Amino acid sequence: MSLVNVEKRDHVLLIGLNRPEKMNAMNREMYHQIAAAYYQLENDPELRVGLMYAEGDHFTSGLQLDDWAGVFANGKGIEPGEGELDPFHITGPGLSKPVVFAAQGICFTCGVEMMLNTDVRVAAKGTRFAQLEVKRGIFACGGATIRLQREIGWGNAQRYLLTGDEWTADQAYHWGLIQELVEPGEQFKVALEIAGNIAKAAPLGVQGSLRSSKIAVSEGQEAAKQRLFPDLQPVMASEDVKEGIQSFLERRDAVFKGK
């Protein structure tokens, strides 16, 4: 049985952790299957958005440390293979397409770090989050030390990175770390609805919005300003812009082709 369920549903790629008997603990094989799914999302022109979720009662209990100890000691870290794209975006290029994230139960360590490399997050009420690494003798190495303070503020991030304590879905919603807080069992449905709405929008417009936002965060606002109109120019020459204008004039829903 695959450790990750991967399914194309129209323009959405569903990526589901599938090791519920182990609370979806991530071993190296699961990592590489997720990385392959991310590569598929990036390189399949029919796909416009990903949805990451998990089977069972929990998103993930975190990394299976006994399987990863040798990797962490190699001085290079986690490396995706050929035909893979790092879902933590620590190594290699990142996605140009958005990912929606749905969590339930416990979402620890690598679960939080994959969430931080997604764009819209949904969590069921009662979901618990934690970066437990300092309680296991290491520190977070999947991006939490790089991204968490940006999401929830310096003090909030250090409060949990330095203690390994848990925080709640209510706290995450209050901080803006998650965008939708839903009843248990509704997280996948709501996340799929959001992903579907993204997939209906103009793909070049979505990817341009995401790219500009990422440049502003990673390189600064001035770099984003310099790239704004040069990046917009080819989008304005697309068939989708014509469709967007025509559908507005005809008072109908646009049908975009990503061209």
Side-chain angles (χ1 to χ4, degrees):
M1 181 180 297
S2 175
L3 298 178
V4 179
N5 294 332
V6 181
E7 176 189 349
K8 286 178 66 172
R9 190 174 297 185
D10 296 325
H11 297 297
V12 180
L13 186 67
L14 306 180
I15 306 170
L17 309 189
N18 187 35
R19 201 187 184 196
E21 73 282 359
K22 297 290 186 180
M23 300 173 70
N24 289 316
M26 182 187 290
N27 58 16
R28 285 181 290 175
E29 182 180 356
M30 178 185 281
Y31 168 84
H32 288 294
Q33 290 183 22
I34 297 171
Y38 263 59
Y39 184 89
Q40 179 182 353
L41 172 61
E42 179 68 12
N43 290 280
D44 186 335
E46 294 183 357
L47 293 170
R48 301 178 181 179
V49 57
L51 195 168
M52 176 168 280
Y53 71 100
E55 303 287 354
D57 296 330
H58 303 285
F59 187 82
T60 180
S61 58
L63 290 176
Q64 184 178 318
L65 285 178
D66 60 342
D67 195 41
W68 285 96
V71 174
F72 293 158
N74 67 11
K76 296 182 295 183
I78 303 170
E79 295 183 303
E82 185 176 351
E84 298 178 353
L85 195 155
D86 181 19
F88 300 105
H89 191 201
I90 298 299
T91 302
L95 279 171
S96 66
K97 302 174 184 179
V99 177
V100 181
F101 186 93
Q104 75 280 0
I106 61 174
C107 182
F108 290 169
T109 64
C110 62
V112 173
E113 292 175 310
M114 285 192 295
M115 178 176 70
L116 290 170
N117 191 39
T118 63
D119 306 292
V120 182
R121 298 88 177 243
V122 180
K125 294 177 181 178
T127 303
R128 295 148 50 203
F129 302 91
Q131 294 291 161
L132 300 169
E133 286 86 349
V134 294
K135 293 185 175 182
R136 304 291 184 260
I138 59 175
F139 66 87
C141 57
T145 59
I146 299 167
R147 301 187 178 102
L148 189 58
Q149 60 265 28
R150 183 189 74 197
E151 298 277 355
I152 68 176
W154 179 269
N156 287 331
Q158 301 312 313
R159 163 69 179 84
Y160 295 98
L161 285 171
L162 303 182
T163 63
D165 290 345
E166 296 180 14
W167 68 89
T168 67
D170 287 328
Q171 287 174 287
Y173 184 65
H174 176 74
W175 292 329
L177 184 60
I178 60 174
Q179 286 64 61
E180 300 283 347
L181 184 61
V182 302
E183 294 297 325
E186 293 293 306
Q187 67 277 354
F188 178 82
K189 176 183 175 182
V190 173
L192 184 59
E193 181 179 351
I194 294 170
N197 288 337
I198 294 172
K200 291 176 185 176
L204 298 180
V206 168
Q207 291 168 32
S209 296
L210 188 63
R211 180 172 57 251
S212 183
S213 299
K214 287 183 174 181
I215 291 170
V217 168
S218 63
E219 301 178 35
Q221 292 187 15
E222 290 304 316
K225 291 175 186 177
Q226 293 297 318
R227 290 278 297 276
L228 188 63
F229 284 100
D231 284 352
L232 181 61
Q233 187 176 24
V235 177
M236 291 302 298
S238 68
E239 294 179 15
D240 279 353
V241 167
K242 298 176 184 178
E243 167 63 11
I245 295 171
Q246 191 65 30
S247 64
F248 173 76
L249 295 174
E250 296 175 359
R251 300 296 188 269
R252 60 175 175 81
D253 291 337
V255 180
F256 296 112
K257 298 180 180 179
K259 300 179 181 180

